[in-house]
Amino acid sequence: MTDSADRQLAAQYEAYPYPARDPREEARRLVVGSPSHLREVDHWIFGARRPASRPLKALMAGGGSGDGTIMLAQQMAWLGRPGRVTWLDRSAQARKVATARAAARKLENIAFQDGSILELPGSGLGPFDYIDCCGVLHHLPDPAAGLAALVSVLAPGGGIGLMVYAPHGRTGVYMLQDALRLLTPPEEAPPERVEVAKRLWKQAPETAWLRRNSWITDHLKGGDAGLYDLLLNPRDIAFTVPQLAALVAGAGLRIATLVEPLRYDPDTWLADPKLRARTARLDPIQRAALAEAICGNMGIHIAYCVRAEDRVIAPPWEDDASVPVLRELDGPTLAKGLRADGVLPVTWDGLRCAVPLPRLAGAFLARVDGRRSWGEITADVVAAGAAPEQAARDRVALIRAMEPLNRLLLAAPAG
């Protein structure tokens, strides 16, 4: 299933593996994000019920230069989690970058496989417990066929992490894409197209909408690969929340969560009680669509998906034996930095919101270390002087405030 745009896309990623990465930087940092953060996969896909001792077979479908692959494999290695991450892509140059990054980290839990996700059915690969498809479906000739191919190798009870472009937050991108198609057609060599794009950006008037879109920065900070992927990509399809939900449903899946959930709750942005009375009538997809439409700054959508027929597995927050974890946050440091008014400020692409935390939030967060259970933490908070009833209420309130931020999650059980 190829066409001229697909062939141009293949040439693009050979010329400019994306995103641009230098394997020497692996000694200084791990690129972390969503989807495919191990803590998120444990929580949102498996409901923090899949044992950590059970090997995890993961597929990075369209692995590119390796961000998701390296992140998940490194997190598994750090936590001593058994399993393997399979990188799949058709770009030889991207594979060179990804393999060099894996070698720099001495990761031995990665398998590299050449090929297209459209070739997965009947390939003999899989089944996989978790599949990542980040930034790929929106470049395919037929995104629905691509997602169906992924589902064909998804293990029972498994899930998929998706990232697709969203239209409103990419305001200005498609206008310059149109301009560049006139100035430098996709048939021209990639280096020549990059040169033209750089010249156009320097000359673009201040009224060009991309100049006003401060949260899109790939053309500014992503090097030639970032500029090409943003402004010269031969095929770039953006999905609203309802369009993404329809795509997912067509593959027999459902969205388990959008990341971050609080951002997709319109009540985060609408305090008027009369408006909230109307938002209460909307279903979850309509609510997310409303948030997307009124905020206007969502340039991507990240979703964790499971099979539509699978039962909903909610993380066992009420279980005292469950172990809370903070995603990329240090509990004591976070607790010390909480404002006196108990409000946690959060910013998403220039849009700020204030998340109120309960009085005992600091006491709980200071004790979240990824090892102690909720029961142990709660008992410690009470022993430090909190009333048991207040501790119980504030624990629930803290969960309700920070799980939708995708920051307070539950770890996979050990057994």
Side-chain angles (χ1 to χ4, degrees):
M1 189 185 298
T2 62
D3 56 14
S4 60
D6 192 59
R7 291 188 289 274
Q8 292 155 5
L9 192 73
Q12 168 192 333
Y13 290 125
E14 288 300 326
Y16 301 108
Y18 183 82
R21 295 289 183 244
D22 184 344
R24 292 171 295 185
E25 293 184 356
E26 297 304 315
R28 296 192 293 270
R29 65 162 181 164
L30 175 68
V31 178
V32 174
S34 304
S36 302
H37 192 292
L38 182 57
R39 296 301 195 189
E40 295 176 2
V41 173
D42 286 338
H43 186 90
W44 298 115
I45 295 292
F46 300 117
R49 296 174 189 270
R50 189 179 192 273
S53 59
R54 187 175 169 188
L56 179 69
K57 292 183 62 178
L59 172 68
M60 293 291 160
S65 56
D67 279 5
T69 303
I70 299 300
M71 175 183 68
L72 182 56
Q74 182 66 81
Q75 290 171 341
M76 291 171 64
W78 279 340
L79 293 173
R81 297 281 289 271
R84 182 168 294 275
V85 180
T86 297
W87 175 100
L88 176 71
D89 204 294
R90 58 182 180 173
S91 170
Q93 294 303 315
R95 177 170 178 164
K96 287 181 179 179
V97 177
T99 53
R101 295 175 69 185
R105 290 182 172 273
K106 297 181 172 59
L107 292 171
E108 299 179 352
N109 56 350
I110 301 175
F112 289 91
Q113 181 73 38
D114 296 327
S116 164
I117 69 173
L118 297 174
E119 299 165 351
L120 280 169
S123 66
L125 294 176
F128 297 97
D129 307 302
Y130 172 71
I131 298 173
D132 170 289
C133 191
C134 182
V136 178
L137 293 180
H138 49 231
H139 295 316
L140 295 181
D142 185 347
L147 188 53
L150 299 179
V151 173
S152 74
V153 293
L154 181 64
I160 298 177
L162 299 176
M163 186 280 275
V164 296
Y165 293 146
H168 305 326
R170 287 169 67 80
T171 296
V173 171
Y174 299 109
M175 300 171 191
L176 284 186
Q177 284 186 3
D178 288 345
L180 284 165
R181 273 190 287 271
L182 295 171
L183 289 172
T184 174
E187 295 78 16
E188 293 185 345
E192 185 175 352
R193 301 192 77 211
V194 166
E195 175 64 21
V196 173
K198 289 178 178 178
R199 289 177 178 275
L200 176 61
W201 179 246
K202 288 180 181 179
Q203 293 290 302
E206 290 303 312
T207 51
W209 279 107
L210 190 57
R211 291 203 180 277
R212 304 184 179 198
N213 190 341
S214 61
W215 48 87
I216 297 292
T217 61
D218 239 11
H219 59 307
L220 304 175
K221 300 178 180 179
D224 290 352
L227 183 147
Y228 203 110
D229 201 62
L230 183 73
L231 298 179
L232 295 165
N233 204 296
R235 181 163 30 233
D236 176 336
I237 306 168
F239 294 82
T240 63
V241 169
Q243 289 168 339
L244 175 59
L247 176 70
V248 166
L253 303 171
R254 62 177 169 82
I255 296 175
T257 192
L258 291 162
V259 177
E260 292 87 1
L262 189 65
R263 188 175 184 179
Y264 287 87
D265 181 353
D267 290 352
T268 301
W269 316 111
L270 303 176
D272 187 326
K274 289 189 176 181
L275 291 178
R276 286 190 171 189
R278 291 175 178 269
T279 66
R281 306 170 193 167
L282 304 177
D283 64 37
I285 296 301
Q286 290 174 323
R287 289 176 64 84
L290 176 59
E292 174 186 21
I294 62 177
C295 290
N297 67 341
M298 296 179 185
I300 61 172
H301 294 308
I302 296 168
Y304 285 106
C305 306
V306 296
R307 282 194 172 87
E309 70 267 19
D310 287 354
R311 66 185 181 89
V312 176
I313 304 177
W317 286 110
E318 72 290 345
D319 185 356
D320 277 345
S322 63
V323 176
V325 291
L326 285 163
R327 182 199 175 283
E328 303 307 313
L329 294 172
D330 176 72
T333 302
L334 176 60
K336 286 181 182 179
L338 291 180
R339 289 176 12 180
D341 60 4
V343 170
L344 181 66
V346 180
T347 301
W348 287 297
D349 294 322
L351 186 58
R352 297 177 178 85
C353 76
V355 179
L357 300 180
R359 183 171 62 85
L360 294 175
F364 277 102
L365 292 172
R367 293 166 170 82
V368 175
D369 57 10
R371 297 184 299 273
R372 284 184 280 187
S373 69
W374 268 125
E376 293 170 328
I377 291 172
T378 305
D380 200 16
V381 171
V382 171
E389 297 81 6
Q390 183 70 45
R393 287 195 298 270
D394 282 14
R395 173 172 135 177
V396 172
L398 181 63
I399 293 165
R400 289 176 177 170
M402 292 200 65
E403 184 190 31
L405 287 173
N406 192 40
R407 287 300 181 266
L408 183 63
L409 307 171
L410 287 182

